[in-house]
Amino acid sequence: MRKLWILLFILCCNIVFSQKMMQGQVLDYDSGVPIAFAKISYNNKTILSNWEGKFSIEIQDNKQPILFSYPGYFDKTYYQTLGQKTILIKMIANQKKKSQEIFTETKVDAIIKKVIDTKFSNQPEKAFSAFEYKNYEHLLVTANPDSISSKIDTIEKRTFFGKKQVKLDSSNYKFKKFVEKQHLYQTEKVNLIQHNNKGTKETVIASRMAGFKKPLYEYLGLNLVSYSLYDTKLDILGVSIHNPISYYGRKLYVFKIIDTVKVNGRNAYQIYFQPKKQSSNRLHGLLYIDYENNAICKAYFRIYGIATINALYTFNYLKAQKIWFAEKRKITVVKGTNSEDLNILGNIVKFNSGLEGLNANASDHSYLKLESSPFDIKINQLVVFKNPKIIIEVPKTSMSKPDSYWSTFQKDSIDIRKIPTYTSLDSLSEAEKIEHKIILGRKIYNGYFPVNYVDLDLKTIVKYNNHEGFRLGFGGVTNDKLSDNYKISGYVAYGFKDEKLKYGINPSYLLSKETNTWINASYSDDVKEIGQIQFITESKRFKIYDPRPINISTFYNNKVFSAFIESNYLTKTNAYFGISRSAITPLFDYTFVANNKVYSNFNVTAIQFALQWNPFSAYMQTPSGRLEIEKKYPKISFQFTKSIPNVIGNDFDFSKIDLRIFHDIPYLSGQNTSFILEGGMALGTLPLTHLYSIAPNNLNKDSMLKRITFAGKNSFETMYFNEFFSSKYITLQARHTFNKVKLGYKINPLFSVVTRMALGTMTKSEQHVGFEYKTLEKGFIESGVEANQIFKGFGITLFYRYGPSGLPKFEDNLSLKISYVLDLGF
């Protein structure tokens, strides 16, 4: 009997050691994106990897190869290593075949077409006349302590000169200890979602953010992934991509039926989708399609790129309405292929603020998790709300809910780190004044530094140009500590070269806080660049310096009094209307001949209407005013100026129309493409000071090295100052910016390729005497490369001028400049 047991034991051991399960995953060699449903052949059996490229296979003989194959890739043969439990297979693309599109099978193509054709009857926003529900949303930034090593390592670093330095790295240890006690960050909100024939509206009922007495309103408008899965485009981390369930998206993706399953007791197709070309898009997923009504009843989305995003949508079937309605939305975001840290919430909050020495390796373990759950759902009942163009309302009462209110939503009793996160981050915020730093950062970003009741204007402190030389000044504006209803701004400056004092004052009164409507009066005595194109409604961000005026010598003195109104009364717009009277004296050799008179100075009385329109942006109404929470493009600026004849000594009768369209296209890869289309038309009698010089930025010197100066943001870098003037013009600028490139020690340039074109004409050129210039009837073209932020914000740009306005000497067409980008870290 004993011998029999020994025999059975030996037999079992042979079976155990001769057969074992091995886990693995199949990835694209270049991108690291999993290859879904790759064919895996072994020992005359064939299996498929799942939609994440993962598989498990029973190994019986180490000597037999495992064959991996997938359309568009070279076959890969793999021999198992003795004792190996997991494998990672990286397949290399066959470029000749990978560029070919993979087409969807006829059966699944017909199913997807039905989903698209019937989406109006399945999408709640289209199928119901009205609905509303409340939604609890919990956002968490955290890490799994078990995934972090507590080992203290030694690391080698090299200095700029290549010398080795060995240091102890305890960042992972500190990070692990921190996240064992609490999360990195968290915030909660309860909102009311309402929909009727006017649109969809969100009203925040309650909100709280760890470390902040008042919520950051930008978070309350945060939408990582679209709510609806039927829209033509899906928003993923602020980037719009084509929805696979759309007529155009159907052409971009390949679909495959995986299985038939049950969801909430109803039969559904399980369909996998991926881009027809792996390199064209990084959105992959699983769709569960109801047999009967062709509706989406469950969905998984995954995006691979600078961040890896996982999104799970679940739905409940409403039998009475025969509609699948949202049940839960779960989203996780982790660091992807980018080598930089992942900025979360637009870098509003620095989650490692309490962890000195935390490096990028430790932050690689961090992830963002968002869950939202609807409740109190009401269908086809009367829903009324005001101003549907404001998509989010934040009442003041939403910011003062007691802790007892939130206890009803704390369903996860296992999460012992939740309460310590609030208490710890609240004290951390108080100790480090994080809230104050964010408010300060916002003001500095706009060019102001708060000092008690006044915000000092940083833009007035120091400037330089060829006319004034160094210009030192002091300016500021009263803030809300003094009053919410009025403010007074002003400045005083002195030019050391022209030895003249300049000044200005602007009192303002708030007519409406909700629409941010201000009535203003101003007076200034200052100098201004001739031919300058300014759109008065466009926001002016803080610059340490403005590079263009540094080398400009042609200014005019402008004594101007104006009264004007600024308002956001019209949703998605910033409007301006004013009247002004200017006394103008050119400060260069120039005479204007018009109306049978010779003018060496002149007066202009005019009205001006300006409008900044952002038609696709989303806006939020908060207790402190209106915010643009989703910056969408294009952005359109329009301006109309008309002189008033025979009023307060006005000398000329003219009209000016100016238009600018700015469009920006971001990509999931982190790159972006932008376009600026701009034009202006001046009709009537205008002096050269009020015409168009189209932002030149090049010195008229005989050597390229002598022309090196600072580059502008949207200037024509090869166009000489005062070279061209126009009464009518049009320009087009196109720019594509790539991801940062790591070249060496703290050298990470951001490359852009740029092309600019201009076309213009000048009427009545004989009126302008004593000043030589050229016109743009033949057009102007320049192209170049920018390598910005190479080191400490500094970079270089190189542009070349060509086409009909190209110069005979090759070197004269080149422009080499220094660029500088200020990063305040906000």
Side-chain angles (χ1 to χ4, degrees):
M1 187 67 181
R2 184 179 178 184
K3 292 182 179 179
L4 179 61
W5 281 109
I6 293 173
L7 183 62
L8 289 173
F9 177 76
I10 294 172
L11 182 61
C12 290
C13 287
N14 286 335
I15 292 172
V16 169
F17 286 104
S18 62
Q19 295 182 2
K20 68 174 183 178
M21 297 300 295
M22 186 167 60
Q23 310 294 324
Q25 188 176 27
V26 186
L27 305 176
D28 179 278
Y29 183 86
D30 296 314
S31 65
V33 174
I35 299 176
F37 308 108
K39 186 183 292 185
I40 304 165
S41 301
Y42 172 77
N43 197 23
N44 297 322
K45 292 182 181 179
T46 300
I47 62 171
L48 298 176
S49 62
N50 66 12
W51 82 285
E52 296 177 301
K54 296 179 180 179
F55 66 92
S56 60
I57 190 169
E58 184 180 290
I59 302 298
Q60 296 176 340
D61 185 356
N62 293 335
K63 295 181 180 180
Q64 289 195 34
I66 308 173
L67 179 64
F68 297 85
S69 61
Y70 191 79
Y73 289 82
F74 291 106
D75 291 348
K76 186 177 182 68
T77 301
Y78 180 83
Y79 287 91
Q80 185 219 4
T81 303
L82 187 64
Q84 190 173 9
K85 295 180 180 180
T86 60
I87 58 173
L88 195 63
I89 302 299
K90 294 186 177 182
M91 299 184 68
I92 298 174
N94 184 341
Q95 297 301 330
K96 293 181 179 179
K97 293 183 179 180
K98 191 175 180 182
S99 60
Q100 300 173 4
E101 292 186 351
I102 305 169
F103 292 93
T104 305
E105 296 174 1
T106 304
K107 181 181 178 180
V108 68
D109 185 64
I111 295 171
I112 297 302
K113 187 176 185 303
K114 287 181 181 178
V115 175
I116 298 170
D117 291 340
T118 60
K119 70 177 183 178
F120 284 174
S121 60
N122 289 318
Q123 184 178 7
E125 289 83 358
K126 304 293 182 183
F128 297 142
S129 60
F131 65 80
E132 73 174 33
Y133 62 88
K134 293 176 183 176
N135 186 67
Y136 170 68
E137 191 169 284
H138 182 210
L139 185 144
L140 196 65
V141 181
T142 188
N144 182 4
D146 296 335
S147 67
I148 305 168
S149 171
S150 59
K151 183 180 178 182
I152 299 178
D153 295 320
T154 57
I155 57 174
E156 281 190 2
K157 289 188 174 182
R158 292 184 179 271
T159 64
F160 184 79
F161 299 101
K163 185 178 179 180
K164 287 184 179 180
Q165 286 183 338
V166 179
K167 294 183 178 181
L168 291 177
D169 180 18
S170 61
S171 57
N172 280 352
Y173 174 80
K174 292 180 180 179
F175 190 57
K176 182 181 180 73
K177 292 298 181 184
F178 185 86
V179 297
E180 282 177 343
K181 298 176 182 178
Q182 66 181 74
H183 300 298
L184 298 175
Y185 194 77
Q186 69 180 8
T187 181
E188 298 169 276
K189 72 173 177 178
V190 178
N191 49 2
L192 173 66
I193 307 295
Q194 297 174 291
H195 178 82
N196 60 20
N197 58 359
K198 294 182 179 179
T200 302
K201 182 91 169 192
E202 175 183 344
T203 303
V204 178
I205 301 173
S207 64
R208 66 172 177 174
M209 301 182 71
F212 295 90
K213 295 176 182 178
K214 294 182 180 180
L216 295 175
Y217 296 119
E218 290 85 348
Y219 156 70
L220 297 177
L222 181 70
N223 187 16
L224 294 179
V225 181
S226 296
Y227 276 94
S228 176
L229 299 185
Y230 291 96
D231 292 335
T232 302
K233 288 191 174 183
L234 299 175
D235 286 334
I236 311 291
L237 286 181
V239 178
S240 293
I241 61 175
H242 288 287
N243 189 346
I245 306 299
S246 66
Y247 288 110
Y248 186 72
R250 184 167 152 241
K251 300 176 182 179
L252 302 177
Y253 294 86
V254 60
F255 299 85
K256 182 181 179 66
I257 295 179
I258 304 305
D259 201 354
T260 55
V261 296
K262 284 191 177 293
V263 180
N264 284 13
R266 293 176 63 84
N267 292 323
Y269 296 106
Q270 185 188 47
I271 297 174
Y272 172 74
F273 70 86
Q274 70 176 44
K276 287 186 176 180
K277 293 182 179 180
Q278 286 276 12
S279 59
S280 63
N281 194 298
R282 294 185 177 180
L283 178 64
H284 301 67
L286 285 174
L287 298 171
Y288 294 77
I289 307 300
D290 190 303
Y291 268 24
E292 185 179 334
N293 62 5
N294 302 301
I296 301 173
C297 49
K298 192 176 182 180
Y300 290 93
F301 288 161
R302 181 164 291 175
I303 296 170
Y304 305 91
I306 59 171
T308 298
I309 306 167
N310 295 290
L312 166 63
Y313 289 82
T314 57
F315 301 85
N316 272 326
Y317 186 69
L318 306 180
K319 293 182 179 179
Q321 292 83 11
K322 297 182 179 180
I323 289 286
W324 289 91
F325 200 85
E327 176 191 44
K328 184 165 283 190
R329 189 175 58 136
K330 294 182 180 180
I331 300 164
T332 58
V333 182
V334 298
K335 190 173 175 179
T337 57
N338 62 322
S339 58
E340 302 294 327
D341 285 339
L342 179 63
N343 291 332
I344 302 173
L345 298 181
N347 204 21
I348 295 170
V349 178
K350 294 185 177 180
F351 301 106
N352 61 342
S353 57
L355 300 173
E356 294 182 5
L358 179 63
N359 65 15
N361 293 328
S363 68
D364 284 347
H365 298 287
S366 306
Y367 63 90
L368 179 148
K369 180 182 178 182
L370 182 146
E371 291 190 16
S372 64
S373 304
F375 62 98
D376 290 351
I377 300 169
K378 298 176 183 179
I379 305 295
N380 289 333
Q381 297 183 14
L382 180 64
V383 172
V384 179
F385 52 80
K386 65 176 184 178
N387 201 352
K389 292 183 179 180
I390 301 294
I391 66 169
I392 301 178
E393 294 272 356
V394 186
K396 194 172 184 178
T397 55
S398 67
M399 300 179 291
S400 56
K401 300 294 183 184
D403 290 342
S404 57
Y405 175 86
W406 296 102
S407 62
T408 59
F409 301 101
Q410 295 174 5
K411 301 176 182 178
D412 189 358
S413 58
I414 301 175
D415 189 0
I416 61 175
R417 295 186 285 170
K418 185 174 183 179
I419 298 302
T421 303
Y422 277 116
T423 56
S424 175
L425 284 177
D426 282 344
S427 60
L428 177 66
S429 176
E430 189 71 25
E432 298 192 2
K433 299 182 179 179
I434 294 176
E435 192 168 7
H436 170 73
K437 290 178 182 178
I438 291 174
I439 295 172
L440 175 64
R442 287 173 174 167
K443 290 197 174 185
I444 292 177
Y445 186 65
N446 289 289
Y448 293 93
F449 186 86
V451 178
N452 206 352
Y453 296 103
V454 176
D455 293 344
L456 299 181
D457 189 348
L458 302 177
K459 300 185 292 294
T460 62
I461 296 174
V462 60
K463 293 182 180 180
Y464 180 86
N465 59 65
N466 271 348
H467 176 75
E468 297 176 282
F470 277 103
R471 168 179 166 143
L472 299 182
F474 175 84
V477 57
T478 59
N479 55 40
D480 54 9
K481 286 186 177 181
L482 181 65
S483 174
D484 286 330
N485 297 319
Y486 66 85
K487 59 185 178 182
I488 301 173
S489 62
Y491 71 93
V492 176
Y494 182 79
F496 285 88
K497 186 176 180 180
D498 67 346
E499 299 180 342
K500 297 289 184 181
L501 188 71
K502 293 89 178 176
Y503 56 90
I505 188 169
N506 176 17
S508 306
Y509 182 77
L510 181 64
L511 295 179
S512 171
K513 192 170 187 178
E514 182 179 357
T515 60
N516 197 31
T517 301
W518 291 83
I519 185 169
N520 306 264
S522 74
Y523 178 79
S524 64
D525 184 351
D526 208 334
V527 296
K528 193 172 181 181
E529 175 191 348
I530 70 169
Q532 193 174 17
I533 303 168
Q534 287 185 326
F535 287 83
I536 201 164
T537 54
E538 290 191 346
S539 59
K540 300 173 180 62
R541 297 302 184 192
F542 173 50
K543 300 177 182 177
I544 285 182
Y545 71 97
D546 188 1
R548 286 196 60 259
I550 288 177
N551 299 292
I552 296 174
S553 303
T554 49
F555 289 82
Y556 62 92
N557 178 251
N558 190 29
K559 297 177 181 178
V560 55
F561 171 81
S562 64
F564 55 95
I565 293 177
E566 297 174 294
S567 178
N568 301 126
Y569 179 79
L570 298 174
T571 310
K572 302 189 178 186
T573 65
N574 179 19
Y576 170 98
F577 179 78
I579 181 170
S580 63
R581 198 269 187 183
S582 303
I584 298 164
T585 304
L587 301 175
F588 57 99
D589 185 16
Y590 173 70
T591 302
F592 184 53
V593 180
N595 305 325
N596 297 319
K597 294 183 181 180
V598 177
Y599 295 91
S600 57
N601 54 69
F602 34 83
N603 301 319
V604 172
T605 304
I607 58 172
Q608 188 173 59
F609 171 74
L611 191 71
Q612 168 82 35
W613 182 38
N614 307 323
F616 301 105
S617 291
Y619 286 82
M620 171 195 294
Q621 189 68 47
T622 75
S624 59
R626 191 172 299 171
L627 292 177
E628 184 183 7
I629 54 172
E630 290 184 31
K631 298 182 186 296
K632 296 292 184 70
Y633 298 88
K635 293 179 178 290
I636 302 169
S637 299
F638 171 80
Q639 197 161 272
F640 175 73
T641 308
K642 179 70 178 74
S643 66
I644 309 176
N646 304 318
V647 174
I648 321 179
N650 177 60
D651 290 321
F652 310 123
D653 185 10
F654 67 86
S655 301
K656 288 181 70 177
I657 299 173
D658 300 290
L659 179 69
R660 175 183 291 166
I661 301 174
F662 176 56
H663 188 54
D664 188 82
I665 307 171
Y667 303 103
L668 284 173
S669 63
Q671 304 180 39
N672 81 296
T673 303
S674 62
F675 300 93
I676 300 176
L677 178 65
E678 184 177 296
M681 179 170 58
L683 305 173
T685 304
L686 283 92
L688 200 67
T689 53
H690 287 54
L691 296 179
Y692 306 107
S693 67
I694 320 182
N697 192 33
N698 202 16
L699 296 172
N700 193 1
K701 295 185 177 181
D702 56 3
S703 169
M704 182 182 71
L705 296 179
K706 292 180 180 179
R707 295 194 297 268
I708 293 178
T709 181
F710 283 99
K713 184 177 180 181
N714 295 308
S715 308
F716 281 78
E717 301 299 333
T718 62
M719 185 184 291
Y720 297 113
F721 289 113
N722 299 327
E723 183 179 5
F724 297 97
F725 278 85
S726 304
S727 57
K728 300 175 185 177
Y729 82 98
I730 185 169
T731 66
L732 175 64
Q733 301 188 35
R735 177 193 304 269
H736 182 83
T737 302
F738 300 92
N739 290 324
K740 281 188 176 182
V741 179
K742 282 189 172 292
L743 297 181
Y745 178 78
K746 294 185 179 180
I747 299 177
N748 310 310
L750 190 67
F751 285 98
S752 299
V753 290
V754 185
T755 292
R756 301 186 178 103
M757 296 172 280
L759 186 67
T761 185
M762 173 67 83
T763 58
K764 300 180 181 179
S765 58
E766 69 281 357
Q767 292 181 325
H768 312 290
V769 180
F771 190 83
E772 295 186 2
Y773 61 89
K774 295 187 287 187
T775 57
L776 281 168
E777 280 85 355
K778 294 181 179 180
F780 185 97
I781 306 174
E782 71 174 20
S783 295
V785 178
E786 297 179 348
N788 295 312
Q789 303 179 59
I790 296 176
F791 188 76
K792 300 294 185 181
F794 287 94
I796 57 172
T797 70
L798 180 64
F799 280 83
Y800 180 71
R801 167 176 172 172
Y802 57 98
S805 294
L807 300 173
K809 191 176 178 181
F810 175 79
E811 186 185 28
D812 291 343
N813 293 300
L814 287 174
S815 170
L816 180 66
K817 303 282 178 65
I818 301 168
S819 67
Y820 182 76
V821 177
L822 174 66
D823 185 3
L824 294 172
F826 303 105

